[in-house]
Amino acid sequence: MRIRATKPLFAWDALEDSPTLKTIKQLLEVIPDQTLLDSLRDTRGKGRDDIPVHVAWGVLVLAVALRHPTIEHCLGELGRNESLRKLIQIDAEDKVPKKWNLSRFLDRLGEEPHLSHLHGIFDAMIGRLGSVVSDLGRDTAGDATTLNARRKKDQLAEKERQAGLPQASGGRKEYTDEAGNVTKVVQWFGFKLHLLVDVKHEVSLAYKITDPKAGDGETLPCILADAQAHLPPGRIKTVAYDKAAASNEVHELLSRNGIKPVIQNRSLWKEEQERMLPSHDGNSNIVYDESGTVYCYDRVSQPMVRHPMAYIGHEASRQTLKYRCPARHEGWECPMSKICNAGKKYGLTVRVPREIDLRRFPAIPRATRQFERLYKGRTAVERVNARLQVFWGADDGNVTGSRRFFALLGVILVVHAAFATLLAMAPRWEGTLGQTKLSPIAKALYGKVRPPMPPRRRRRASRERQMRLRFAG
């Protein structure tokens, strides 16, 4: 891949529609799959080895990376393309696996401990990227998406259920307007995929597959802990979610971990429009609404006028939110100023303890530009979901059974992380091939992915490069 220097580090629009053999070879090299392959070989034991484990694994990776609609299409291309066969160590055309070989391999891959090893490959690659890309995982966003699948017959489904895998079932989601009227209904049969994504780089940091009934608030602690486990400590600063994750438990969890929530609030106050802050009596003119926005009333004007107070900042040491008089802070006249700001240099100051209600008083208040900017980052999850569903075929609905579905989706997430690694490693060019250079991040990743070249071989490679440049000139 050739990527211009002006492109972002993870230039997803620069992915090749039809990857070259060189790109495929690099993709296979950056996947740390040795533990998984050893586990599969140990399970097979002394049984038949007509289709080696590494060959079946390579076919699955190629089927996703080359964007084949089905595994049968990938097997057909392997039968025609000798160079592609050599990349996954298939010696001859008659050694290409059959489609039932891959079906059985998917069933085996969806069992423990292989499924955990498959998830571990994804975690290892994200951890490798996080150790090199200093801002990967700093601002995150999460969401769930629908994935269509089929269900096995009752007896086989019971075996999968006993193994701890949820079964495909019917799901329904309703969208409502501000008045609470249902405007759109989405129905599907399959699973839910919960993702935690880096907002800036659009890289998946953690994932979890559940049945359609699982909510975002229930799965957020699991995927957050997963992301924290393979990212540097304290890397995650913000987490953005929609109203589905707006619960007291979620806000308490994020507060304990020192993470700032960017989560819209649900409308639960049926009759009240606002409340007074604790320790403020009827003589006070300070109130707050359900979303946690603090207001002050101008009681001198008739009728009374309500103004949002000026947000000054989050005082982490005190765990309070600081607000000041909006008129004094913004420089306009208020009839109530003489009463509120009497003898105060900066005007009336209000400190709101977050412990009053962590859900309504997050570290980044909702009525601020910073909250709105970070909340817009949730669109990154939609783009990642679209790549997984459309670009790599996670939502084709052709997979039957939980084991096969979990295994195939795990392979898709591994390919996603592998392509992210290739994009970060790709040389950047500024118009001519002679100006192509590796970025510091690419050099660091090359050191982690590939072993260093011996000194003698390095000198020989340097001389060969100089000879090629001399003859080219």
Side-chain angles (χ1 to χ4, degrees):
M1 289 182 290
R2 292 169 56 198
I3 303 177
R4 290 184 177 273
T6 54
K7 288 281 187 179
L9 178 63
F10 297 91
W12 293 104
D13 60 342
L15 285 179
E16 302 162 338
D17 290 333
S18 181
T20 62
L21 290 174
K22 180 180 179 181
T23 300
I24 297 171
K25 182 180 179 182
Q26 291 175 336
L27 182 81
L28 296 172
E29 289 176 349
V30 301
I31 299 177
D33 51 12
Q34 192 59 48
T35 302
L36 172 64
L37 297 180
D38 291 342
S39 175
L40 290 167
R41 292 190 185 103
D42 291 342
T43 302
R44 174 175 286 185
K46 296 182 179 180
R48 293 180 58 181
D49 196 23
D50 297 339
I51 306 300
V53 167
H54 65 273
V55 170
W57 166 250
V59 172
L60 283 182
V61 173
L62 289 183
V64 176
L66 299 179
R67 301 172 57 195
H68 286 291
T70 62
I71 295 178
E72 289 88 337
H73 284 77
C74 181
L75 296 175
E77 183 177 355
L78 286 170
R80 298 185 299 268
N81 193 330
E82 181 182 1
S83 299
L84 191 62
R85 289 199 302 266
K86 290 182 178 180
L87 288 180
I88 56 174
Q89 301 177 28
I90 298 179
D91 300 330
E93 182 180 346
D94 59 353
K95 299 291 186 180
V96 176
K98 306 299 182 184
K99 61 180 182 180
W100 53 83
N101 298 130
L102 271 300
S103 297
R104 295 169 184 169
F105 182 75
L106 269 178
D107 271 326
R108 182 65 66 188
L109 191 59
E111 298 175 349
E112 292 295 346
H114 316 308
L115 195 59
S116 296
H117 292 320
L118 181 61
H119 202 295
I121 295 175
F122 172 82
D123 292 343
M125 286 193 288
I126 298 303
R128 187 170 60 194
L129 285 172
S131 65
V132 176
V133 184
S134 60
D135 60 348
L136 182 68
R138 183 180 58 193
D139 295 320
T140 64
D143 200 3
T145 187
T146 63
L147 295 178
N148 293 285
R150 299 175 183 177
R151 192 173 187 172
K152 283 189 174 181
K153 295 181 180 180
D154 294 339
Q155 294 181 350
L156 297 175
E158 183 61 28
K159 292 182 179 179
E160 293 180 338
R161 191 180 293 108
Q162 292 176 359
L165 296 178
Q167 295 300 302
S169 58
R172 175 187 173 93
K173 186 175 182 180
E174 295 181 351
Y175 295 85
T176 58
D177 56 17
E178 295 181 357
N181 301 318
V182 178
T183 58
K184 181 182 177 182
V185 177
V186 176
Q187 293 180 314
W188 78 100
F189 190 90
F191 298 92
K192 255 186 179 182
L193 173 64
H194 302 262
L195 286 179
L196 189 67
V197 173
D198 179 89
V199 168
K200 177 181 177 182
H201 301 300
E202 298 180 12
V203 175
S204 297
L205 304 175
Y207 72 93
K208 184 176 179 62
I209 310 167
T210 66
D211 61 66
K213 298 179 180 61
D216 290 356
E218 303 170 20
T219 57
L220 189 151
C222 178
I223 60 175
L224 178 63
D226 193 10
Q228 289 177 312
H230 52 262
L231 287 175
R235 173 65 61 84
I236 300 178
K237 301 299 182 184
T238 64
V239 171
Y241 259 89
D242 58 11
K243 296 178 182 179
S247 66
N248 293 328
E249 294 77 14
V250 168
H251 282 272
E252 290 172 2
L253 171 68
L254 297 179
S255 179
R256 288 196 302 269
N257 286 271
I259 300 173
K260 297 179 180 179
V262 186
I263 304 174
Q264 288 288 7
N265 213 5
R266 296 175 182 171
S267 297
L268 299 177
W269 293 359
K270 301 302 181 182
E271 299 179 357
E272 297 178 276
Q273 298 297 322
E274 58 190 31
R275 294 178 182 176
M276 300 200 69
L277 287 170
S279 74
H280 287 249
D281 55 21
N283 297 322
S284 174
N285 64 333
I286 309 299
V287 298
Y288 69 95
D289 63 8
E290 188 173 10
S291 64
T293 305
V294 180
Y295 298 92
C296 63
Y297 270 100
D298 170 15
R299 293 182 173 180
V300 175
S301 300
Q302 294 297 327
M304 292 189 297
V305 182
R306 189 179 75 169
H307 300 288
M309 296 196 71
Y311 173 65
I312 303 303
H314 172 226
E315 299 175 314
S317 59
R318 296 184 177 185
Q319 284 298 300
T320 58
L321 304 178
K322 188 176 181 180
Y323 293 87
R324 283 181 181 161
C325 169
R328 184 68 64 87
H329 185 74
E330 298 168 10
W332 49 273
E333 294 295 329
C334 175
M336 193 81 174
S337 181
K338 292 183 180 179
I339 301 175
C340 295
N341 303 325
K344 299 179 176 117
K345 180 179 179 181
Y346 296 103
L348 176 65
T349 300
V350 177
R351 285 185 170 90
V352 181
R354 294 187 57 230
E355 62 183 11
I356 295 174
D357 193 338
L358 292 175
R359 183 174 166 185
R360 286 186 173 81
F361 298 109
I364 304 176
R366 294 179 178 88
T368 59
R369 292 182 181 179
Q370 183 184 11
F371 183 93
E372 294 177 359
R373 175 178 59 80
L374 291 172
Y375 191 74
K376 288 180 181 178
R378 288 184 58 254
T379 57
V381 189
E382 305 298 333
R383 289 188 288 273
V384 174
N385 283 333
R387 292 189 192 103
L388 298 178
Q389 291 176 316
V390 180
F391 199 77
W392 289 309
D395 195 32
D396 288 347
N398 296 324
V399 183
T400 303
S402 298
R403 287 186 299 182
R404 296 181 186 179
F405 184 86
F406 275 57
L408 184 59
L409 196 58
V411 175
I412 291 174
L413 267 300
V414 165
V415 171
H416 165 76
F419 272 119
T421 304
L422 291 187
L423 289 174
M425 292 173 62
R428 304 297 169 120
W429 66 292
E430 299 177 357
T432 63
L433 291 178
Q435 295 174 334
T436 303
K437 298 179 180 179
L438 289 176
S439 66
I441 290 178
K443 292 178 181 178
L445 280 172
Y446 268 102
K448 290 180 176 292
V449 171
R450 297 178 178 177
M453 187 183 298
R456 182 177 300 175
R457 184 180 172 187
R458 192 184 303 119
R459 288 195 297 269
R460 184 170 64 250
S462 177
R463 288 196 299 270
E464 292 175 355
R465 192 180 303 110
Q466 293 176 1
M467 292 296 293
R468 285 199 302 270
L469 292 174
R470 185 180 304 173
F471 282 113

